[in-house]
Amino acid sequence: MSKQAAIELKNITKSFGKVVANKDVCLTVYKGEILSVLGENGSGKTTLMNMISGIYYPDSGHIYIDGKEAVIKSPKDAFDYKIGMIHQHFKLVDVFSAVENILIGLKDDNRYNIKASSEKVKKICEQYGFELDLSKKIYEMSVSEKQTVEIIKVLYRGADILILDEPTAVLTPQETEKLFAVLRRMRDDGKAIIIITHKLNEVMALSDKVAVLRKGEYVGTVNTSETDENKLTEMMVGEKISLNITRTEPKDPVKRLEIKNISCINREGVTVLKDISFEVKSGEIYGIAGIAGSGQRELLESIAGLQKLNSGEILYHNPQTNKTENLRDKTPVQIRDLGVRLSFVPEDRLGMGLVGNMDIVDNIMLRSYKKGKSVFLERKQPKDLANKIIEDLGVVTPGANTPIRRLSGGNVQKVLVGREIASSPTVLMAAYPVRGLDINSSYLIYNLLNEQKEKGVAVIFVGEDLDVLLELCDRIMVISSGEISGVLDARTATKEEIGLLMTKHGGGDK
Amino acid sequence: MIVAFIQRAIVQGIPLLFGSTGEIITEKSGNLNLGTAGVMYMGGISGVIGAFLYENSVETVNPVLAVLIPLLASVIGSSFMGLIYALLTVTLRANQNVTGLALTTFGVGFGNFFGGSLIKLLDTDVPSIALSATSKCFKAGFPFADKLGVVGDVFFSYSFLAYIAIAIALVTSFYFKKTKSGLHLRAVGENPATADAAGINVSAYKYGATIIGSIIAGLGGLYYVMDYADGVWSNDGFGDRGWLAIALVIFAVWRPNFGIIGSFLFGGLLIIHNYIPNLTLSAQELFKMAPYVVTIIVLVVISMRRKRENLPPASLGLSYFREER
């Protein structure tokens, strides 16, 4: 069966200033086919897709659509060529309803008529099996609903080529399955679908073909049926790396941290943590899973003394003194002096962990500035530590005195984790420590956490990739809407179990 | 006396209504034009210049021309201000707050310079220009208003610009809610990246909204001189009405139809001290604070209720550049 090319890219090059984001990229997508674009962070996947959808304009190269050369200078041009992109960060207006968002930018002849348009939208929903309340405002929606709106938006415009930028990053396994079912239905409908991702298992499950980019360059396209995860990783990274996390049995675990019935109500009066109790032992990695915004952040912050609690207590069993102390009424400094370390990586990693405009040495000093008796700062030690972190963790930086802001996300992350580990903690809390990191750096961080575990540190790991949670952790606690919905043994649990527990109390995103 | 109070309150409120409707349109596109005071001042002095030139060049004034010429002059003056603002903030991506404040200084300075020059030309003893003939044409109202008693006084005793102000506010309200273009404009102000990705010309909407908003605000200045002040221009006579208009935008939670009621309320609060007997001078000044106090209360109430629809456009005050990373 000869297939027709829906879109063909030839020698596309784009650079931002001195940084070359895409170099001589060639890509072909056929109708009725799902193509995965795979690549590490900063390999230029999103840039490439932005050029197809008219956000950026290529410096050189050609784009052919249905065999004819196309010039896409703006998103409007892209629509005219029936290209629709679903961005990673949703492009939706929060205070508008679903229908209003779908209608934005349409310039068809019929007058502004919400009722008639709603009917049309409903038909699309039925055709592909979406469930959506059309008059709901975006800010009241869950992430998955927002994504549905985005997809309907491009379908409503009659898109034949759909581009999805990391669509599953924010979804639970069940939602992901639903999305994949919809995408398969669209493929069978003759649409060309491009999906950007860095989750290998999804690539294998969904796509017909895989195109791999590495550092802005096009490596090649392979049929999914003729490849496997290891081969793809090799193409992506350019070298063989092992994707195994070695999990050891916890060595003489003793109770280190005991959380008893803590509850927390935030400033808006919403209960973010409800009667949470668990204990973490030394020498284990305790995983916490849940949809983003289910209370993970508040939980870790309350252990670190940054969040006021309404009830409950946090008991810490100090291994040095063998005393039990209540952390609840202590300040962050007191808690830190006890050896409890929080390496917290919120969505904005420069927000809470590091200061963007300061260099690596100064950022390391944020932890040690109180040391020493003189009024002047002691710079020698932090500088040595900075150089050690740069060397040990392979931080790519011009030097220890480069402002953190200029480093890439992965390198910033390494500095942050390196600093926290260097202070030899007894409890290490890491929230999303690999968010935005490529495979190589991710595994480096996993190994670091494992090292800490073997040293007898109690590690709390909040993660989003369920496969990793299952491979890395010893036990996994699942929270949903601020409540514990289950604690599982990571050695026997399955992804589906966790996924179900994640939505037990009615989903995240309040 | 109550009828007189309502009448004066509405007359006081109309310039504010023009100013706030214009500013709402501008802000809905994400442009926070703090230059409204300057724009309204500019609208006023431009109208005065037009009227002055026309009145002094003919023997008897033609009522139609006497209205059209200052109106056109005012529109040119204030749209020029809007154009500067849009050029600086949209095309050159200058800081919106700084640009707005600069426009205020510029507009007031421009007005005082040309106002002063015209006063010098007249060579009179009083530091003002009186354009009574033009003002008469602007103030022509409904002839039947007198016959209707109280109803006529309260509803039909104003000049045509006052009704235009209300009409513009209502039309704008309808435009935001019921038209596609209004939806697009709101999308631009809420999330320009989204609007852009949806194929809306963000810059065009921002330019359009800013210039049209400025023209409407400028009419407030014209109304003030020609109707409220009976055609008498004196430097700095306009006071801080431009800032009150911006306060009114917040008071009306970015809804032009609320702005109508709000402007009358603000107008009433501005002059209420004249209607309360036996006030000392300092107590009068305290009463003049009322509109601002009310605005602060509204802000507190809005932030307590935290309803998303009542918040300012999400990208208000931010410039948009597509390829920014």
Side-chain angles (χ1 to χ4, degrees):
Chain A
M1 192 176 101
S2 74
K3 277 184 171 176
Q4 213 186 338
I7 185 165
E8 208 175 344
L9 308 182
K10 278 201 177 139
N11 302 328
I12 298 282
T13 300
K14 170 85 185 170
S15 44
F16 296 97
K18 276 182 192 161
V19 184
V20 181
N22 284 131
K23 196 179 164 199
D24 286 336
V25 176
C26 305
L27 206 66
T28 310
V29 193
Y30 295 94
K31 286 181 180 163
E33 183 183 88
I34 299 178
L35 175 87
S36 295
V37 177
L38 196 63
E40 298 195 277
N41 288 98
S43 60
K45 297 169 295 196
T46 303
T47 309
L48 184 66
M49 293 307 127
N50 276 336
M51 277 188 280
I52 302 178
S53 62
I55 303 279
Y56 301 147
Y57 190 70
D59 296 342
S60 66
H62 304 276
I63 299 175
Y64 298 89
I65 289 165
D66 291 336
K68 275 172 260 160
E69 173 148 24
V71 181
I72 305 170
K73 284 197 167 164
S74 71
K76 210 189 148 291
D77 292 349
F79 288 138
D80 294 343
Y81 286 114
K82 296 189 180 285
I83 300 170
M85 174 145 176
I86 290 112
H87 295 265
Q88 188 179 4
H89 306 286
F90 300 133
K91 305 237 174 204
L92 296 170
V93 180
D94 275 353
V95 294
F96 285 11
S97 69
V99 180
E100 282 176 320
N101 264 295
I102 291 164
L103 294 182
I104 289 179
L106 279 177
K107 289 190 188 81
D108 44 8
D109 300 329
N110 55 331
R111 284 186 48 226
Y112 183 65
N113 185 343
I114 289 218
K115 251 194 194 155
S117 311
S118 296
E119 286 305 312
K120 230 175 126 186
V121 174
K122 264 188 202 140
K123 253 186 212 149
I124 295 176
C125 290
E126 278 163 25
Q127 189 185 348
Y128 293 103
F130 294 113
E131 292 154 21
L132 190 69
D133 176 4
L134 292 175
S135 53
K136 208 169 173 185
K137 294 271 164 70
I138 298 296
Y139 65 84
E140 298 167 332
M141 289 188 176
S142 72
V143 187
S144 147
E145 282 174 298
K146 287 181 195 173
Q147 190 176 54
T148 309
V149 176
E150 281 278 23
I151 297 174
I152 297 175
K153 194 162 112 186
V154 296
L155 289 176
Y156 188 85
R157 274 147 228 259
D160 286 333
I161 303 166
L162 269 91
I163 306 165
L164 296 101
D165 190 354
E166 299 206 15
T168 59
V170 287
L171 302 182
T172 62
Q174 281 78 11
E175 287 166 340
T176 305
E177 265 316 306
K178 248 193 214 165
L179 173 70
F180 284 0
V182 168
L183 291 180
R184 287 192 192 105
R185 224 166 292 158
M186 288 181 197
R187 171 187 63 190
D188 300 339
D189 218 30
K191 297 194 188 299
I193 296 169
I194 307 176
I195 169 169
I196 300 180
T197 180
H198 50 219
K199 292 184 185 165
L200 289 170
N201 53 345
E202 290 175 0
V203 172
M204 301 304 294
L206 180 69
S207 57
D208 301 304
K209 280 185 185 165
V210 192
V212 181
L213 294 180
R214 188 199 309 151
K215 287 180 184 148
E217 285 178 50
Y218 174 66
V219 180
T221 305
V222 288
N223 290 326
T224 312
S225 51
E226 294 161 15
T227 184
D228 59 45
E229 298 192 12
N230 285 328
K231 276 188 202 153
L232 286 175
T233 316
E234 208 182 316
M235 281 174 83
M236 242 162 86
V237 186
E239 58 189 91
K240 262 202 170 128
I241 57 163
S242 88
L243 290 184
N244 294 320
I245 305 173
T246 42
R247 174 165 49 195
T248 52
E249 285 296 318
K251 267 185 282 178
D252 19 278
V254 288
K255 241 193 265 173
R256 182 63 55 82
L257 200 60
E258 214 175 328
I259 314 292
K260 278 189 176 166
N261 308 87
I262 60 170
S263 293
C264 169
I265 295 168
N266 71 2
R267 234 179 285 162
E268 277 101 56
V270 180
T271 309
V272 282
L273 294 177
K274 201 169 154 196
D275 203 20
I276 289 203
S277 307
F278 64 96
E279 49 180 66
V280 186
K281 298 191 181 99
S282 64
E284 77 165 348
I285 297 185
Y286 195 80
I288 297 177
I291 301 172
S294 301
Q296 299 96 319
R297 181 197 183 116
E298 287 80 4
L299 179 59
L300 293 202
E301 282 185 358
S302 55
I303 299 174
L306 298 172
Q307 174 82 45
K308 274 226 165 79
L309 290 175
N310 294 74
S311 65
E313 47 188 9
I314 299 166
L315 298 178
Y316 172 66
H317 302 285
N318 196 329
Q320 271 128 32
T321 57
N322 279 325
K323 267 195 253 169
T324 300
E325 290 172 81
N326 191 351
L327 298 185
R328 187 179 158 189
D329 300 316
K330 291 204 161 48
T331 64
V333 175
Q334 286 172 321
I335 293 172
R336 220 195 294 146
D337 288 344
L338 286 171
V340 178
R341 290 291 187 279
L342 175 66
S343 150
F344 191 76
V345 189
E347 287 82 280
D348 168 22
R349 77 188 89 221
L350 290 176
M352 271 180 78
L354 301 163
V355 182
N357 281 327
M358 288 175 15
D359 64 24
I360 301 179
V361 179
D362 286 349
N363 269 296
I364 285 169
M365 282 194 342
L366 287 179
R367 272 281 183 265
S368 62
Y369 66 99
K370 284 207 164 154
K371 279 186 194 157
K373 289 217 170 76
S374 109
V375 290
F376 298 106
L377 288 171
E378 156 79 87
R379 293 192 75 95
K380 178 84 178 54
Q381 268 181 337
K383 186 152 195 184
D384 291 344
L385 179 57
N387 286 326
K388 193 171 171 289
I389 292 176
I390 291 172
E391 205 173 299
D392 290 356
L393 305 189
V395 180
V396 182
T397 166
N401 293 320
T402 308
I404 293 270
R405 175 171 48 86
R406 296 232 196 103
L407 306 183
S408 79
N411 288 312
V412 170
Q413 190 62 31
K414 287 179 193 166
V415 172
L416 181 58
V417 175
R419 180 184 75 186
E420 300 306 323
I421 290 174
S423 53
S424 54
T426 52
V427 176
L428 180 67
M429 294 186 277
Y432 311 117
V434 298
R435 177 171 284 180
L437 296 200
D438 53 42
I439 293 202
N440 246 333
S441 318
S442 299
Y443 279 84
L444 193 75
I445 301 276
Y446 299 146
N447 288 336
L448 282 173
L449 292 178
N450 260 328
E451 256 172 52
Q452 292 298 309
K453 168 186 169 182
E454 272 168 46
K455 279 187 191 160
V457 176
V459 181
I460 301 177
F461 175 81
V462 179
E464 39 194 358
D465 189 333
L466 297 183
D467 291 304
V468 171
L469 273 166
L470 285 169
E471 265 185 77
L472 179 70
C473 302
D474 297 292
R475 287 187 294 161
I476 298 172
M477 175 175 88
V478 187
I479 54 178
S480 163
S481 303
E483 281 181 75
I484 296 182
S485 51
V487 180
L488 304 167
D489 186 339
R491 286 174 177 78
T492 55
T494 64
K495 237 169 53 172
E496 285 66 34
E497 273 179 78
I498 300 180
L500 277 179
L501 288 172
M502 276 163 80
T503 49
K504 192 174 172 190
H505 298 294
D509 260 1
K510 31 193 176 175
Chain B
M1 193 176 101
I2 290 178
V3 173
F5 172 67
I6 294 174
Q7 270 187 326
R8 293 312 292 167
I10 291 177
V11 170
Q12 277 281 1
I14 294 299
L16 303 182
L17 179 56
F18 272 119
S20 75
T21 309
E23 180 69 8
I24 288 172
I25 296 175
T26 307
E27 289 196 11
K28 278 287 182 186
S29 78
N31 279 357
L32 176 64
N33 189 354
L34 289 180
T36 298
V39 173
M40 293 175 80
Y41 211 81
M42 190 66 140
I45 189 66
S46 303
V48 166
I49 294 172
F52 182 85
L53 295 177
Y54 177 66
E55 249 187 53
N56 284 317
S57 64
V58 287
E59 287 287 313
T60 48
V61 292
N62 173 337
V64 177
L65 282 179
V67 167
L68 280 184
I69 290 175
L71 202 61
L72 190 68
S74 166
V75 165
I76 292 172
S78 39
S79 58
F80 172 67
M81 294 289 273
L83 184 65
I84 299 179
Y85 182 87
L87 184 72
L88 283 171
T89 60
V90 180
T91 306
L92 302 173
R93 293 194 292 280
N95 180 300
Q96 294 194 2
N97 295 343
V98 177
T99 310
L101 293 176
L103 271 195
T104 294
T105 317
F106 172 69
V108 173
F110 182 95
N112 284 348
F113 175 76
F114 281 95
S117 308
L118 293 183
I119 292 166
K120 274 268 165 63
L121 280 179
L122 281 177
D123 205 18
T124 54
D125 297 333
V126 278
S128 59
I129 315 155
L131 300 160
S132 39
T134 310
S135 168
K136 222 179 204 167
C137 305
F138 267 92
K139 290 189 88 159
F142 295 110
F144 55 82
D146 293 340
K147 293 173 201 148
L148 293 174
V150 176
V151 179
D153 284 344
V154 174
F155 294 104
F156 298 107
S157 64
Y158 313 101
S159 66
F160 72 98
L161 270 181
Y163 299 104
I164 288 182
I166 295 167
I168 290 178
L170 291 175
V171 167
T172 308
S173 207
F174 176 83
Y175 168 77
F176 286 151
K177 270 193 219 138
K178 298 282 177 197
T179 67
K180 226 170 224 184
S181 165
L183 181 76
H184 293 176
L185 177 63
R186 284 192 289 142
V188 167
E190 290 288 342
N191 194 335
T194 299
D196 194 15
I200 297 171
N201 189 337
V202 173
S203 296
Y205 267 94
K206 282 193 171 234
Y207 264 89
T210 308
I211 292 171
I212 290 169
S214 293
I215 290 173
I216 294 172
L219 290 179
L222 186 70
Y223 176 87
Y224 170 80
V225 188
M226 294 306 171
D227 191 316
Y228 177 82
D230 294 323
V232 177
W233 172 272
S234 51
N235 281 353
D236 290 327
F238 190 62
D240 47 9
R241 287 183 173 77
W243 297 107
L244 262 179
I246 294 177
L248 183 56
V249 171
I250 300 164
F251 180 85
V253 289
W254 290 267
R255 282 174 206 172
N257 47 354
F258 285 12
I260 299 173
I261 300 154
S263 68
F264 298 160
L265 178 70
F266 272 36
L269 290 173
L270 266 180
I271 52 162
I272 195 158
H273 59 88
N274 292 330
Y275 291 83
I276 298 173
N278 307 326
L279 277 184
T280 60
L281 209 61
S282 47
Q284 283 191 9
E285 292 299 319
L286 280 178
F287 269 96
K288 285 183 191 167
M289 287 183 351
Y292 300 98
V293 174
V294 170
T295 303
I296 292 172
I297 293 171
V298 168
L299 272 177
V300 171
V301 171
I302 291 174
S303 60
M304 269 173 15
R305 287 188 53 208
R306 290 194 142 269
K307 206 167 158 236
R308 292 291 287 269
E309 283 84 354
N310 287 342
L311 294 178
S315 87
L316 184 63
L318 308 170
S319 352
Y320 174 65
F321 177 46
R322 186 189 287 168
E323 293 208 3
E324 203 158 68
R325 345 209 304 158

